[in-house]
Amino acid sequence: MNQGFRTQRDAPLRGRNTFGVTAHAPLWIEVTTPEALAGVLTWPEVRDEPFLVIGGGSNILFAGDPQGAVISLRARDIRIVEQSDQHAVVRADAGVRWHDLVQWTLRQGLNGLENLVLIPGTAGAAPIQNIGAYGTEAGEFVHAVESMDPATGRVRRFRQAECDFAYRDSRFKREAGRHLIVALELRLSWRPRLRLNYAGIAQALEAAGIDSPSAQDVADAIAGIRRAKLPDPERLGNAGSFFKNPIVPTAVAEALQERFPDLPVFAANRPEQRKLSAAWLIDACGWKGHRTGDAGIADSHALVLVNHGQASGAELLDLARRVADSVQQRFDVMLEPELRVIGAVW
Ligand SMILES: Cc1cc2nc3c(=O)[nH]c(=O)nc-3n(C[C@H](O)[C@H](O)[C@H](O)COP(=O)(O)OP(=O)(O)OC[C@H]3O[C@@H](n4cnc5c(N)ncnc54)[C@H](O)[C@@H]3O)c2cc1C
């Protein structure tokens, strides 16, 4: 990689997506420096063809082969770039593994990312869908996102307010193809502000005998809960939640809750809207543990589609469509994929 990049033609992608489905990239390009990336963007097969940026491949379903080059950003530096008595700004290159970044910040004594522990993928992808878990979203801590414009090779800096973060959404997701995120800066606090009132955290800490937890204790407790609930992609291919929790008008949520009193309903970002539990809707349609060939729904979580071995991306997509159709028919609620589908239109 002495020029800052490495290429491979007809590159297998099976080991490069957490579903573990077979696909091939006509050209695979690993890039380690912004300068090399700017150069790669001028190559005709990148400049003139649609290309895909990939991080850890944990939020992608290859329902077919990508049409053009696949670019993987490999720079992996993490450092503190600004600090005061109260806060520090941590800068991570796009290729840093998100979980490593969380652990690094906790080791420095910084607080904020503890509830986002063990989410697979890279720092560069985190702002794309504003990753979230256990009552926290990455966007809350974003100080700035640096993104290279593929058309010009210029790096632009977006402050938090310019990122338009929303539930599993951001301007980077809405403007796909216009941003190559090269670095992420997070503003974290030296003082703990723990969020423990979410699904099982307090109970897990109590079970471990911890009554005044540190951020690391919270991260460890959440890691334990996640390991018990979510299948490990190393053993059973999956991409975490396949669908977003649907956001509906409050009146629709209330009407559904009258018919189905057990349906979990959460606050949404806007007061006139509510968020429904997609897992509950799917479970109510009887899908948990379902299997068609090697494409299935996890036993432990109705939102997680799994590859039992040799399922193709197209088979997983077909199953996802059947799940969404059944939820639509029974509840008149439309499910949308959380992940990006390549090689097919949802
Ligand atoms: C077991 C499991 C659990 C999960 N749990 C959660 C969870 O709790 N919360 C949550 O929000 N998500 C979760 N996910 C989904 C996933 O981990 C996140 O969406 C993660 O941010 C994806 O990162 P990635 O690097 O793998 O992105 P990829 O899958 O490689 O890419 C995802 C999208 O981002 C784009 N992209 C990637 N890197 C860049 C870049 N540098 N610049 C521009 N675009 C880029 C890609 O083109 C693609 O559109 C889970 C996934 C798994 C497998």
Side-chain angles (χ1 to χ4, degrees), residues 16 18-19 51-60 71 73 94-95 98 115-134 147 168 172-173 176-177 179-183 226 230-233 238-241 304 338-340 342:
R16 291 162 170 159
T18 59
F19 261 125
F51 65 84
L52 172 72
V53 194
I54 195 167
S58 64
N59 209 28
I60 281 185
I71 300 177
L73 304 180
W98 175 261
N115 290 32
L116 300 176
V117 71
L118 224 59
I119 299 182
T122 54
I128 303 280
Q129 72 149 359
N130 182 20
I131 56 170
Y134 292 85
S147 132
R168 299 298 179 274
F172 311 108
K173 188 167 182 181
H179 300 276
L180 279 146
I181 294 176
V182 291
R226 289 183 67 101
L230 290 169
D232 175 0
N238 76 89
S241 303
V304 180
E338 180 187 297
L339 48 65
R340 177 150 175 209
I342 303 291

Side-chain angles (χ1 to χ4, degrees), residues 260-338:
F260 307 100
D262 297 345
L263 167 66
V265 174
F266 311 103
N269 289 353
R270 294 196 198 160
E272 71 280 12
Q273 294 181 326
R274 294 286 180 272
K275 192 157 63 175
L276 309 179
S277 162
W280 189 93
L281 297 168
I282 296 168
D283 199 10
C285 291
W287 286 104
K288 207 191 254 181
H290 170 92
R291 186 167 172 170
T292 302
D294 271 354
I297 310 289
D299 295 327
S300 57
H301 205 309
L303 253 189
V304 180
L305 264 75
V306 293
N307 178 4
H308 286 282
Q310 300 303 322
S312 66
E315 285 164 348
L316 286 159
L317 184 64
D318 181 58
L319 174 59
R321 286 186 176 134
R322 284 161 48 212
V323 168
D325 284 349
S326 70
V327 168
Q328 172 90 58
Q329 274 171 27
R330 173 126 189 242
F331 299 104
D332 200 17
V333 171
M334 205 169 73
L335 292 182
E336 270 180 55
E338 180 187 297

Side-chain angles (χ1 to χ4, degrees), residues 123-143:
I128 303 280
Q129 72 149 359
N130 182 20
I131 56 170
Y134 292 85
T136 300
E137 287 180 339
E140 296 169 49
F141 302 98
V142 166
H143 179 67

Side-chain angles (χ1 to χ4, degrees), residues 20-100:
V21 298
T22 299
H24 285 83
L27 176 62
W28 171 266
I29 312 169
E30 287 176 11
V31 188
T32 46
T33 63
E35 299 72 37
L37 179 60
V40 161
L41 290 170
T42 65
W43 298 355
E45 47 206 326
V46 178
R47 188 189 59 208
D48 304 335
E49 309 284 337
F51 65 84
L52 172 72
V53 194
I54 195 167
S58 64
N59 209 28
I60 281 185
L61 174 64
F62 287 107
D65 287 340
Q67 279 177 297
V70 177
I71 300 177
S72 164
L73 304 180
R74 292 304 175 107
R76 288 193 178 142
D77 188 34
I78 312 178
R79 62 187 195 278
I80 291 178
V81 288
E82 242 180 80
Q83 59 180 314
S84 68
D85 289 352
Q86 304 201 342
H87 293 102
V89 175
V90 174
R91 182 184 170 90
D93 289 329
V96 170
R97 284 188 350 141
W98 175 261
H99 179 69
D100 294 346

